[in-house]
Amino acid sequence: MVQGSSISGFPEWLPSERAVEQQVIDTLREVFELNGFIGIETRAVEQGSSLLKKGETSKEIYLLSRLQEVGHESDTPVEERIGLHFDLTVPLSRYVVEHTGDLTFPFKRWQMQKVWRGERPQEGRFREFVQADIDVVGNGELPSHYEVELPLVMVEALERLRKFGLPKATVHANNRKLSEGFYRGIGLSDIEGVLREIDKLDKIGAEEVSKLLVKECGATASQADACLELAELTAETGDELKSRFDELCDKHNISRSDDNESYVLASQGVETLAMIVDEAARIRPGAVVADLKIARGLDYYTGSVYETFLDNAESLGSICSGGRYDNLVSQGKKKYPGVGLSIGMSRLLSYMLHTAGATVSRVSPAAVLVAVWNEEDRPACNAIAKTLRDRGIAADVAPSAAKLGKQIKYADKLGIPYVWFPADSTESESSHDEVKNIITGEQETADATSWQPDTVYARQTVSCAK
Amino acid sequence: MVQGSSISGFPEWLPSERAVEQQVIDTLREVFELNGFIGIETRAVEQGSSLLKKGETSKEIYLLSRLQEVGHESDTPVEERIGLHFDLTVPLSRYVVEHTGDLTFPFKRWQMQKVWRGERPQEGRFREFVQADIDVVGNGELPSHYEVELPLVMVEALERLRKFGLPKATVHANNRKLSEGFYRGIGLSDIEGVLREIDKLDKIGAEEVSKLLVKECGATASQADACLELAELTAETGDELKSRFDELCDKHNISRSDDNESYVLASQGVETLAMIVDEAARIRPGAVVADLKIARGLDYYTGSVYETFLDNAESLGSICSGGRYDNLVSQGKKKYPGVGLSIGMSRLLSYMLHTAGATVSRVSPAAVLVAVWNEEDRPACNAIAKTLRDRGIAADVAPSAAKLGKQIKYADKLGIPYVWFPADSTESESSHDEVKNIITGEQETADATSWQPDTVYARQTVSCAK
């Protein structure tokens, strides 16, 4: 990342880093499209009223004002102003309602865009970053099989990024109904509050969370203990999940009868979560585990919730999160339940570049630099480059007829592997074009209408140095 | 474009329209990279001081404020606030200065991003739109051959878009030195003022411009006439340009001697412009013409200026504009002269979609929808889809085991050409998978490990209906 970037929180990449980002974007898009997701792009702004409605980040909004409005900005209520979107889920829900008639449901969409959060500058967090989202939104109903399929699409995408240095990713899944049923079962009623405190486990530890559950959510010490025990429960199979959950219910005197609404609610969550881990295990063993500490701060999730962690990079936190939301989008009586996950691209890229050591094979997309002996020859050099380009080979032409060493240095700095030497027009007719691979030193006579670069040098590629 | 979009000036595309935009973006990127341009992306915001410095759009800036700052926004001077960029040239110049040490010069870069202009809402113009830019920036110096090459790269890119319904594009070039030399030669000194009025020719006509030249720029009636005569000059070859320009000098008593600084300045411009039209004619006849009414509103251009018009779509105005700027970027005594052009993508796309009738062959990227007979069979259906995807064939699976007609309707609505019928697991072993092309009606037995879609149905393609 650019050092000395003058606006903190707004990262910017050097060309070689941007080339890695571009390949990451291309890779994600390929996986999303192979899975039938439709790409959309929403405008960068939403109405203040819509930005303020939902989610943990409602306090971190950038509002816009036209230069002409300076001094009068506050005359307009925040709800009527426009601001930059802070995620891609709120815009999606607005887009779905606005264009219901033009969409086919279930609507599977991918979207990669910048989002902005007006965080306090001193926190050193990104205020502008790229999110890569997939969601499926149903019209009225949404089958639960999507709650397995979507995290698996993300795992597939992340798996493809392992060649860029990304460690193995594991999705940790939980279910809001499971948590809520259990909390109610032990006599707690401030469900949102408990989830909010449990969400802090990784940051502040069990002891502090326990204190907060007592202080903020009206829990007794033993209720707090039960919440923490639930959060410790993990499972890799549905059966394991069910039996361990039932054990915990018995321990904390939650009746497992059909009359107990709390247990019935929890059971729905257990069933869905069990299906998710079992189905995922069949397709990609170890990719998805049940982890009952996953809480997610956002209040609009109603079913499955997901966070994704990288092996040996837990300090990075979750790099891909999401869940099922049944009530985020509605229009009159009509509901549009959805499930989706979002990759925090910029943080992921930062890890790949600076921890994993992902590098691009060359800065320039050009495979060939055509050398220029004299400025008078430039038209001939341009013609050679055009012939190559018409055949799909990216080519640049030397900026000036400088000494050959300087031209080769220009190619070298940009990582362009081949330098093309046009036949010397002042020599006899027997003079031929030649092309040199400046990495291997090999040089051969060549014809622009038929020459091919070695496969390994044909395109910019990203690899991992470490 | 979405009707009833609730924030005017912020266009948003339906999925089928976005698919066309995505292919336009892919096409432009391919051409830029074939020509050795390096992709970068800059942050969306710049310092107010930097946004206010240059250009015609300085009055059309969106400033940002954090929600917490509401009521106190105006405490901070505009120069110290941050705002959204209104073009990609100002960000490029800042990027070049900030990262000089990490760049190789001449720095050839492409960039496609959204830009924002805080226009008055009632004007019905885009306030958010995508620009596609290429620029070459030199360190200290920049050879003039780039002034031919860059417009030709843009012509090549626009030529590729003709299959999406875009008419033939012609670049109209002029040169600021030519104009300035001529204006000074006839005794005018408010060069910027004259250019600003001449820039209005297409909008308000010669008579009104003439009045403004007299009223605003201190021109006499005959000086105004001379300016208008210059603006009428067009040429398709360098020789034609030179002889017609010299005629005009003689007519208006501009001495063509080496002692006349004005004529010397104008001659530099004439030489460059002549080179541009001649070189361009050699490579792509008719692609670039000299057109001396091209003025460009922006004051940072110092040499060549370009505007691009589409045949029979002149009312659209220039769809790709730019020029050479020698003084936009500097650091101490060091200068970074550049030349670049910018395509106004959103307007172009609007034309392609709504006037030329560009349409995508299907909304979904999927080539195949795997039908689901029973929900119990879904794992087998997922396995078929995975086999296809692993072979690069985009595949979706039916949302539910609804009646077959409903599943086919889902494929039809999304334009998915093939529906895959898995072998019936309840039947004898002789049952085979079958695949039906629902457009042609053809159906055949198929094996997911080897089946290939017909080439014409393999991918989303864009074509032009009209």
Side-chain angles (χ1 to χ4, degrees), chain A residues 2-7 10-15 18 21-22 26 29 33-47 52 58-59 61-68 70-74 78 81-82 84 94-95 98-99 102-108 110 113-114 116 118-121 127-128 143 145-146 149 279 282-284 363-366 375 378-379 382 386 389 392-400 410 413-414 460, chain B residues 2-7 10-15 18 21-22 26 29 33-47 52 58-59 61-68 70-74 78 81-82 84 94-95 98-99 102-108 110 113-114 116 118-121 127-128 143 145-146 149 279 282-284 363-366 375 378-379 382 386 389 392-400 410 413-414 460:
Chain A
V2 158
Q3 301 298 319
S5 174
S6 55
I7 307 183
F10 290 83
E12 215 165 45
W13 311 106
L14 290 172
R18 169 62 183 168
E21 181 176 56
Q22 185 72 67
D26 292 346
R29 174 180 161 196
E33 297 199 336
L34 277 173
N35 282 276
F37 286 81
I38 293 167
I40 68 163
E41 188 154 290
T42 54
R43 62 189 187 221
V45 305
E46 298 291 334
Q47 290 288 355
L52 287 169
S58 60
K59 300 279 165 56
I61 296 168
Y62 275 119
L63 295 166
L64 300 189
S65 45
R66 296 173 54 227
L67 188 57
Q68 287 78 348
V70 167
H72 309 280
E73 286 122 315
S74 308
V78 171
R81 293 175 62 178
I82 55 175
L84 296 174
R94 193 258 318 146
Y95 184 92
E98 202 165 313
H99 311 304
D102 293 304
L103 304 177
T104 301
F105 293 94
F107 179 51
K108 298 174 68 172
W110 69 263
Q113 277 181 251
K114 283 184 177 167
W116 295 270
E119 310 235 5
R120 278 183 297 133
R127 297 195 278 174
E128 171 180 83
H145 62 80
Y146 288 115
E149 285 158 22
E279 271 294 298
R282 252 183 16 83
I283 296 168
R284 205 180 273 274
V363 174
S364 170
E375 278 305 323
R378 182 168 295 279
N382 284 336
K386 184 175 186 313
R389 289 168 191 150
I393 300 167
D396 202 351
V397 177
S400 72
Y410 175 79
K413 273 177 147 182
L414 290 171
Q460 279 179 307
Chain B
V2 158
Q3 299 300 319
S5 174
S6 57
I7 308 183
F10 290 82
E12 213 164 49
W13 311 107
L14 291 171
R18 169 63 183 168
E21 181 176 58
Q22 185 71 66
D26 291 347
R29 173 180 162 197
E33 297 198 337
L34 277 173
N35 281 276
F37 286 81
I38 293 166
I40 68 163
E41 187 153 292
T42 54
R43 62 188 186 221
V45 305
E46 298 291 333
Q47 290 288 357
L52 288 170
S58 61
K59 299 278 165 58
I61 297 168
Y62 276 119
L63 294 166
L64 264 50
S65 46
R66 296 172 55 228
L67 189 56
Q68 288 78 349
V70 167
H72 310 280
E73 287 120 315
S74 308
V78 171
R81 293 176 64 179
I82 55 175
L84 296 173
R94 193 259 315 146
Y95 185 93
E98 201 165 313
H99 311 304
D102 293 304
L103 304 177
T104 301
F105 292 94
F107 178 52
K108 296 174 69 170
W110 69 264
Q113 279 180 250
K114 283 183 176 168
W116 294 270
E119 310 235 5
R120 278 181 300 132
R127 297 196 278 177
E128 171 180 84
H145 62 81
Y146 289 114
E149 286 158 22
E279 272 293 298
R282 252 183 17 82
I283 297 168
R284 205 180 274 273
V363 173
S364 170
E375 277 305 324
R378 183 169 294 280
N382 285 335
K386 184 177 185 311
R389 290 169 191 148
I393 300 166
D396 203 350
V397 178
S400 73
Y410 175 78
K413 273 177 148 183
L414 291 171
Q460 279 177 308

Side-chain angles (χ1 to χ4, degrees), chain A residues 375-380 382-383, chain B residues 144-145 147-149 152 236-238 272-285 287-288:
Chain A
E375 278 305 323
E376 297 77 53
D377 297 338
R378 182 168 295 279
N382 284 336
Chain B
S144 59
H145 62 81
E147 292 172 60
V148 193
E149 286 158 22
L152 288 178
E236 294 190 15
T237 69
T272 305
L273 187 54
M275 177 214 39
I276 289 173
V277 292
D278 285 345
E279 272 293 298
R282 252 183 17 82
I283 297 168
R284 205 180 274 273
V288 182

Side-chain angles (χ1 to χ4, degrees), chain A residues 161-175:
Chain A
L161 297 180
R162 292 189 68 178
K163 64 174 188 278
F164 301 168
L166 208 67
K168 182 176 176 303
T170 308
V171 176
H172 293 240
N174 191 4
N175 191 290

